[in-house]
């Protein structure tokens, strides 16, 4: 006989006798489903001990419930919850269903307009079949600097050192970390920022989430790339923004297609250093045009540099943030693609004039930072591990990327188009087959090849035959094998 | 001569000669303040090397800027930015001031109504003089289970183990952690919850922030305790809620003072297990009354159990969440007071009917969790370290608390009132002196006694002579000494 963990409270001052209080508690537990049909109850002795009441009281209560049909007793097997609940309970059940419905209605009425939009809009589920198996876009675990990280952390877990005792007072994050990041971003992509402008967030969603909540009012116009990152689009839609979707060509966002100044766009969300899913890098000319447009339109630019560390051919172009002289660019960066799951911190560079606002917002949403994580990240950057790690990882990923492209071209020849762009942790391809996108994905899944359709990247009218293949989770040999298996599968399915 | 780290981009396709492009970039840098008056420039040779252009080009550009007065050259000391900028630059400076003002205006116009409220409302600065020195409310570092934590983490940093490679797909947090927390909460405070209802957040602000954003629409009525936790109040005000402040007596929130059902309060924010700042624990009778009120009013109850692990006399009363049969209680808990800065995770138990909403909201705000932190926390709970740690810490804090109360009573006798409540990591006192609250705080600061006024806990009309003293950051001896020094100081100041 298993014991049942049941929180029961007695009010000894209450006039109801204790045995009836126990009966009622058990009846409630049965009706609400906390005690399930067929579940064994503790013996009267065990129950009395558990609750610190007289055994006779428990016996009296059990007898009452047996007589009412809530409990059943079998000689030798103890007491258990009836499989056939009494009529009263059955009535309760249907009442309960009604109440559930009533509650669902109540929930709907109780929501803020933000929550109502959230419930009504379509959301791309990150846990969909397609991506769940593939650690989509996460760094190759074998390449993670785990030992280095562990050593740095352990240094700080020796809590005798005074700096680890410091209460984290800086609302934007550990100051030396912000200095290290400012200097890294200036060095590696020509940002023009002071550590005061750097805000550290717990996770990757923090920056866009804060920008959108603080800048966008329901009904505001916002511009997104099409195709483009679905997460940013969803944040804007949930906040009630009206979206204008602007296409991408081989130079990046087509600035000529941006709405004109009368449209009063509040912001444009762009990924100039690595466009997802195409991998396209915005040209210098387009960057200048975009900034000129933003100045004319009085719009903010949200420059998301997610996944911008892995370039395989050309050096980095300067970030929009560094080229801007109009104080209008928010720059988003994270080490996610390099360090997840060691650190999940993300960084937002804000225009100077937004510092007071973000200080207030951060106070309400992320008041403290994880100090040891920040100390470790600081050391990791200032001691040069980060840049060494990027270099090493880039070289590995470059080989994996080459192998993937080589294998695909070998097998699909003229049926595949792979853009020349060379950044990121995945490639985008266009595949010409008689198969549906779903069938192609099925073949890939069977072959263990991490391939997903780009459909969800599109605001509307998704392209067909367009896919993304991350190459960081398998080595070159596995990639080649899987591509071959995939190609065999596609041929076989075509018949 | 120091080198200057200056991001300069050349557009070789542009018609402007490279030397003029360089001049313009340097002029812009000087005007915008990135290059400061008196700052040394690299030599023409160094600059040419840095930029990969001909030295003659740099010489030509430097000469132009020297002639225009932006640069100055001293024989032997190289080239530096003029201390007296030319008139054009000076004009730019005043233009810049004007532009700054214009930008501040622009920022104001660009804000969402949430951000506008944020900018206009008074905010309690957590970095104020009073609390910054005292690690207010943080656990005593010497008591932290740092070694245990380090060992658990290290186990998971051996990234060969397959579970650490898992991509964190569960939007509410690592499932075994949620199971461990559900079972811990059921055990220790009679919660009635399924792991499905547990949402893990990065930090302490996550739960209230999400509840408020999802449930409260500007203009909604919300009830808070007075005095009470300022952080929750600020979140509600920023969201545009209208607050009703309800007083506290020795049984907790005065339920009779709650607005009646016609008032349509959306939610009530309460801290029944440990009221901040008084330490009062809500009686069982009041708990029942509050739930009955919530049912009548159709209001949600936000039960914040922050700081509820340190009870020194009575066992825990069951949480409102466990007593509720109306699916209307949100329960907030965190290990912050026990494990900061080892872990900062916080937990929200949501009513079942809110699971779909929170799944959607979490997808937009915290899409992944820090897996290693979650693994370590899970082990920490399931291996019994957490409960052992609570027990050990509680015994230590109990002694510190005793020592503090004893010393204060010894010295202030009839001039001090210390409520009999016995929970938490600080005591609240009422001190009768001829001094102002500021003078009392000054005496405490001089004595090293961590004492703060309760003024900011009040919605309006703060009590005078009411203070909070955390006792976890000094040992018993230090507490006694500091109380004595403090009492001497008070006596001396009274004259």
């Amino acid at each position: 006989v298993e014991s049942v963990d049941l929180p029961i409270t007695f009010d000894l001052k209450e006039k109801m006798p204790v045995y009836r209080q126990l009966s009622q508690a058990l009846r409630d537990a049965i009706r609400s489903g906390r005690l399930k049909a067929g579940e064994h109850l503790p013996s009267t002795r065990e129950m009395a001990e558990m609750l610190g009441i007289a055994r006779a009281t428990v016996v009296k209560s059990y007898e009452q419930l047996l007589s009412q049909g809530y409990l059943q007793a079998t000689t030798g097997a103890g007491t258990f919850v009836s499989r056939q609940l009494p009529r009263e309970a059955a009535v309760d059940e249907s009442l309960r269903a009604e109440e559930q419905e009533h509650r669902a209605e109540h929930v709907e009425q109780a929501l803020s307009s933000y929550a109502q939009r959230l419930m009504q809009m379509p959301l791309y589920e990150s846990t969909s079949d397609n991506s769940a198996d593939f650690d989509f876009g996460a760094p190759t675990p074998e390449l993670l600097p785990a030992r280095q990280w562990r050593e740095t952390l352990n240094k700080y877990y020796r809590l005798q050192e005074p700096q680890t005792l410091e209460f984290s007072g800086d609302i934007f994050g550990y100051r030396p970390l912000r200095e290290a990041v400012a200097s890294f971003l200036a060095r590696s992509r020509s940002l023009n920022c002071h550590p005061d402008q750097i805000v550290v967030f717990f996770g990757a969603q923090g920056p866009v989430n804060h920008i959108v909540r603080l800048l966008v009012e329901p009904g505001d116009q916002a511009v997104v790339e099409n195709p483009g990152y679905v997460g940013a689009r969803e944040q804007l839609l949930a906040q009630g923004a009206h979206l204008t979707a602007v296409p991408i060509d081989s130079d990046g966002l087509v600035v000529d297609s941006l709405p004109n100044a009368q449209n009063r766009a509040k912001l444009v969300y762009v990924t100039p250093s690595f466009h997802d899913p195409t991998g396209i890098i915005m040209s210098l000319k387009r960057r200048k045009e975009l900034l000129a447009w933003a100045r004319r339109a009085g719009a903010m630019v949200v420059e998301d540099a997610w996944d911008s560390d892995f370039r395989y051919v050309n050096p980095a172009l300067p970030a929009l943030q560094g080229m801007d002289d109009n104080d209008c660019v928010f720059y988003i960066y994270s080490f996610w693609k390099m360090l997840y799951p060691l650190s999940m911190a993300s960084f937002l560079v804000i225009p100077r004039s937004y510092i007071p606002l973000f200080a207030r917002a951060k106070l309400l949403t992320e008041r403290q930072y994880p100090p040891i994580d920040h100390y470790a990240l600081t050391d990791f950057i200032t001691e040069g591990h980060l840049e060494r790690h990027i270099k090493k990882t880039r070289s590995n990923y470059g080989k994996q990327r080459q192998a993937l492209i080589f294998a695909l071209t070998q097998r699909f020849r003229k049926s595949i188009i792979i853009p020349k762009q060379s950044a990121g942790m995945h490639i985008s391809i266009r595949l010409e087959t008689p198969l549906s996108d779903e069938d192609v994905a099925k073949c890939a899944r069977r072959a263990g090849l991490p391939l997903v359709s780009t459909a969800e990247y599109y605001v509307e009218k998704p392209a067909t035959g367009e896919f993304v293949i991350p190459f960081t989770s398998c080595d070159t040999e596995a990639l080649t094998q899987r591509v071959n298996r995939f190609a065999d599968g596609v041929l076989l399915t075509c018949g």
Side-chain angles (χ1 to χ4, degrees), chain A residues 1-4 22 26 39-62 71 73 76-80:
Chain A
V1 179
E2 286 170 62
S3 173
V4 177
L22 176 58
L26 290 171
E39 202 161 350
H40 275 106
L41 285 185
S43 71
T44 50
R45 190 185 46 74
E46 286 167 338
M47 183 67 107
E49 261 176 33
M50 257 171 61
L51 300 173
I53 56 179
R55 186 170 174 190
T57 309
V58 178
V59 171
K60 205 163 169 186
S61 161
Y62 276 30
L71 298 183
T79 309
F80 55 88

Side-chain angles (χ1 to χ4, degrees), chain A residues 4 28 38 61 116 124 141 153 189 205 226 235 242 245 248 271 279 293 315 320 362 380 400 439 454 469 487-489:
Chain A
V4 177
D28 286 350
S61 161
Q116 280 171 18
Y124 162 63
L153 283 186
R189 48 204 81 188
Q205 274 67 43
N226 189 30
Q235 302 243 27
H242 293 169
I248 295 287
T271 55
W293 172 85
L320 291 166
K362 200 81 190 327
F380 198 74
Q400 284 160 273
D439 283 339
T454 60
I469 311 180
D488 292 344

Side-chain angles (χ1 to χ4, degrees), chain A residues 134-163:
Chain A
F134 297 131
D135 296 3
F136 196 90
T140 309
E142 289 77 22
L143 288 177
L144 283 173
R147 192 186 48 79
Q148 181 60 49
W149 192 257
R150 190 169 68 220
E151 278 167 18
T152 312
L153 283 186
N154 283 346
K155 188 169 85 195
Y156 289 109
Y157 279 120
R158 293 187 201 102
L159 289 179
Q160 288 76 5
E161 293 178 31
Q163 58 184 335

